C-alpha cells in the first residue's frame, strides 16, 4: 500500500494519522504541502526517521523545490522522484491511499 | 395539477415542488396520472415513505425501502415483489412521487 | 460470479467547515443504494460528526445527523471510529448518533489492508 499525503503536518492531522496506521513494507509519498514534513529539525521530520527501514519514503522533487526546501538537508532515506516515477510508484503498489 | 380546487405545482417529472402540498387526495391524483388506482395497501406504503423521509431526510432507494417496509410491516411486505406489484417499474421512484417526496437521488 | 470489491470509506473531516464531510456521506449512501459493500471509518476530525445535538441549522447548514442515522437502513453496518482521534478530543465511545466500533491503530492498519479500495474524504 502506498500512502499519499498532500497536506502540511503543521496544519492537518492526516500526517500523524497516516504514520500511526502505517504498516511495515508500505510506502509514503509526500506531495504538495505535505513536503513541509521534511523541514529539518521538525517533529514531523523526526517522526519519519523513526519509521521502520522497510517503509519506503518518497517526495515529489518539484514540490520540494517549489517550496524552497533545502535539498541537501533532507533526511537521507527520502527518495526524491519526478512525475513519471510517481506514476510507476502508484502502479507498483497494490493499493493507493490518498490522505 | 388541480386537486380540490387547489393548484399544485409539479416539476417536469411530475414530482411535487413543495412537500407541504401533499394530502391523500393529492397522492390519489398523482397516482391516477400514472394510471394507478390507490388502495389501502398503497397508502400504507406511501405513509411509510413519508415517515422514512421525516426520519432520515432522504427519499429511500430500493434497498432501504425494502428494509424499512420489512421492519415496519413485516417480511411479507418487505420484499421487492410485493412493492413492484403496488408500484410497477420502480417502487422507490413511484412511491416517493405519490408520497410527495423529492425524487430519490440514487435511483436509476 | 465476480467477487465483490469491499470498500472502506474513511471519514476524516467535520462539518460545518468541510464540505468533504457531506460528500463522504453522499458517497456512502450512493454506493450502498447500488449494493456496493461499504464500511466506514471515522477518524481525525471526522469523529466529531458522530456527536449528537448539533444544531447546524443555526448556522444555515443542513444537518448530517438524519442522513447518518439512515446508514444502517442502507445496509452500511460496518462502522468504525478511531479510538485515538476520540481520545485526542476528550470523547468516549458510546452515545453517538450511530453505533460505531472503536478501533486502535493496529486494527485500523488491518482495516486498510483488508479492503480492496480505500477512499479518504
Amino acid at each position: 500500500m502506498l500512502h499519499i499525503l498532500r497536506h502540511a503536518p503543521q496544519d492537518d492531522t492526516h500526517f500523524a494519522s497516516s504514520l500511526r496506521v502505517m504498516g511495515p513494507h508500505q510506502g509514503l509519498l509526500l506531495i504538495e504541502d505535505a513536503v513541509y514534513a521534511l523541514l529539518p529539525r521538525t517533529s514531523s521530520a523526526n517522526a519519519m526517521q523513526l519509521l521502520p527501514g522497510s517503509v519506503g519514503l518518497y517526495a515529489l522533487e518539484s514540490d520540494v523545490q517549489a517550496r524552497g526546501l533545502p535539498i541537501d538537508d533532507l533526511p537521507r532515506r527520502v527518495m526524491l522522484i519526478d512525475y513519471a516515477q510517481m506514476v510507476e510508484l502508484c502502479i507498483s503498489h497494490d493499493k493507493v491511499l490518498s490522505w | 395539477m388541480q386537486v380540490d380546487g387547489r393548484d399544485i405545482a409539479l416539476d417536469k417529472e411530475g414530482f411535487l415542488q413543495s412537500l407541504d402540498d401533499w394530502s391523500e387526495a393529492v397522492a390519489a391524483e398523482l397516482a391516477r396520472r400514472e394510471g394507478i388506482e390507490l388502495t389501502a395497501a398503497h397508502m400504507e406504503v406511501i405513509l411509510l415513505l413519508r415517515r422514512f423521509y421525516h426520519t432520515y431526510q432522504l427519499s429511500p432507494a430500493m434497498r432501504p425501502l425494502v428494509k424499512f417496509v420489512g421492519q415496519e410491516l413485516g417480511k411479507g411486505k418487505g420484499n421487492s415483489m410485493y412493492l413492484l406489484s403496488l408500484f410497477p417499474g420502480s417502487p422507490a421512484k413511484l412511491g416517493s412521487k405519490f408520497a410527495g417526496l423529492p425524487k430519490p437521488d440514487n435511483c436509476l | 460470479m465476480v467477487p465483490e470489491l469491499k470498500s472502506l470509506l474513511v471519514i476524516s473531516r467535520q462539518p460545518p467547515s468541510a464540505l468533504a464531510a457531506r460528500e463522504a456521506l453522499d458517497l456512502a449512501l450512493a454506493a450502498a443504494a447500488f449494493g456496493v459493500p461499504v464500511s466506514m471509518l471515522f477518524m481525525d476530525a471526522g469523529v466529531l460528526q458522530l456527536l449528537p445535538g448539533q444544531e447546524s441549522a443555526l448556522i444555515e447548514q443542513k444537518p448530517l445527523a438524519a442522513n447518518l442515522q439512515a446508514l444502517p437502513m442502507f445496509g452500511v453496518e460496518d462502522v468504525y471510529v478511531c479510538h485515538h482521534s476520540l481520545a485526542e478530543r476528550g470523547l468516549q465511545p458510546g452515545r453517538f448518533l450511530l453505533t460505531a466500533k472503536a478501533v486502535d491503530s493496529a486494527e485500523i492498519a488491518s482495516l486498510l489492508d483488508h479492503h480492496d479500495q480505500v477512499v479518504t474524504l
Side-chain angles (χ1 to χ4, degrees):
Chain A
M1 180 159 26
L2 176 67
H3 298 257
I4 301 183
L5 281 163
R6 64 193 313 161
H7 299 293
Q10 295 83 5
D11 307 327
D12 192 279
T13 52
H14 287 97
F15 178 81
S17 300
S18 65
L19 294 201
R20 225 170 41 238
V21 302
M22 179 120 10
H25 311 295
Q26 295 184 347
L28 174 61
L29 166 62
L30 307 172
I31 64 169
E32 298 179 26
D33 281 345
V35 300
Y36 284 122
L38 299 173
L39 282 168
R41 292 170 298 283
T42 56
S43 55
S44 54
N46 289 338
M48 284 197 303
Q49 294 281 31
L50 293 174
L51 285 171
S54 56
V55 171
L57 294 182
Y58 312 88
L60 200 55
E61 185 165 24
S62 52
D63 281 333
V64 171
Q65 291 184 326
R67 285 161 182 78
L69 296 186
I71 297 269
D72 299 333
D73 204 5
L74 299 181
R76 293 184 70 117
R77 56 185 288 200
V78 174
M79 192 188 291
L80 295 178
I81 61 170
D82 61 20
Y83 281 103
Q85 289 169 309
M86 172 168 155
V87 173
E88 278 170 32
L89 202 58
C90 291
I91 295 171
S92 65
H93 286 78
D94 60 335
K95 231 182 301 186
V96 175
L97 176 48
S98 291
W99 293 88
Chain B
M1 175 177 104
Q2 275 226 332
V3 178
D4 300 336
R6 272 194 309 148
D7 272 322
I8 310 267
L10 302 180
D11 71 10
K12 57 182 189 300
E13 287 186 76
F15 286 80
L16 289 193
Q17 298 248 4
S18 164
L19 271 60
D20 301 331
D21 280 339
W22 190 85
S23 66
E24 296 204 7
V26 166
E29 177 58 21
L30 287 166
R32 199 190 56 75
R33 292 159 62 96
E34 305 275 348
I36 295 173
E37 196 70 41
L38 287 194
T39 62
H42 288 99
M43 199 53 81
E44 179 181 50
V45 174
I46 288 172
L47 291 174
L48 212 53
L49 273 155
R50 290 182 60 82
R51 197 152 98 230
F52 187 101
Y53 186 82
H54 281 293
T55 309
Y56 301 122
Q57 297 292 308
L58 284 169
S59 300
M62 190 59 188
R63 283 163 57 100
L65 175 60
V66 168
K67 190 163 176 183
F68 194 63
V69 171
Q71 189 177 297
E72 302 293 316
L73 303 178
K75 287 269 177 280
K77 295 177 176 175
N79 61 74
S80 42
M81 287 309 288
Y82 177 73
L83 294 171
L84 276 164
S85 73
L86 293 175
F87 306 99
S90 172
K93 187 177 166 189
L94 220 48
S96 294
K97 182 185 272 189
F98 301 165
L101 310 180
K103 186 180 165 195
D105 281 338
N106 309 310
C107 200
L108 287 175
Chain C
M1 196 176 135
V2 183
E4 279 184 328
L5 284 173
K6 271 172 65 188
S7 302
L8 177 69
L9 189 55
V10 182
I11 314 289
S12 59
R13 311 268 180 200
Q14 153 70 353
S17 46
L19 281 176
R22 165 105 250 149
E23 287 163 6
L25 187 52
D26 285 345
L27 179 60
L29 291 170
F34 285 109
V36 177
V38 187
S39 312
M40 291 175 91
L41 165 64
F42 290 84
M43 70 187 299
D44 291 322
V47 302
L48 299 170
Q49 286 190 32
L50 298 172
L51 293 183
Q54 305 191 35
E55 309 240 5
S56 48
L58 292 175
I59 49 171
E60 299 184 3
Q61 302 270 337
K62 191 178 171 191
L64 288 183
N67 284 189
L68 276 173
Q69 287 169 302
L71 286 168
M73 207 50 74
F74 277 70
V76 180
E77 311 276 1
D78 295 328
V79 180
Y80 306 93
V81 57
C82 169
H83 196 273
H84 182 96
S85 308
L86 288 178
E88 275 180 332
R89 291 162 181 82
L91 303 171
Q92 280 168 355
R95 269 190 259 144
F96 289 143
L97 289 171
L98 197 62
T99 309
K101 181 176 186 296
V103 284
D104 64 22
S105 299
E107 288 170 305
I108 293 173
S110 132
L111 282 177
L112 297 179
D113 238 12
H114 288 102
H115 285 79
D116 302 297
Q117 39 186 3
V118 182
V119 178
T120 307
L121 280 168

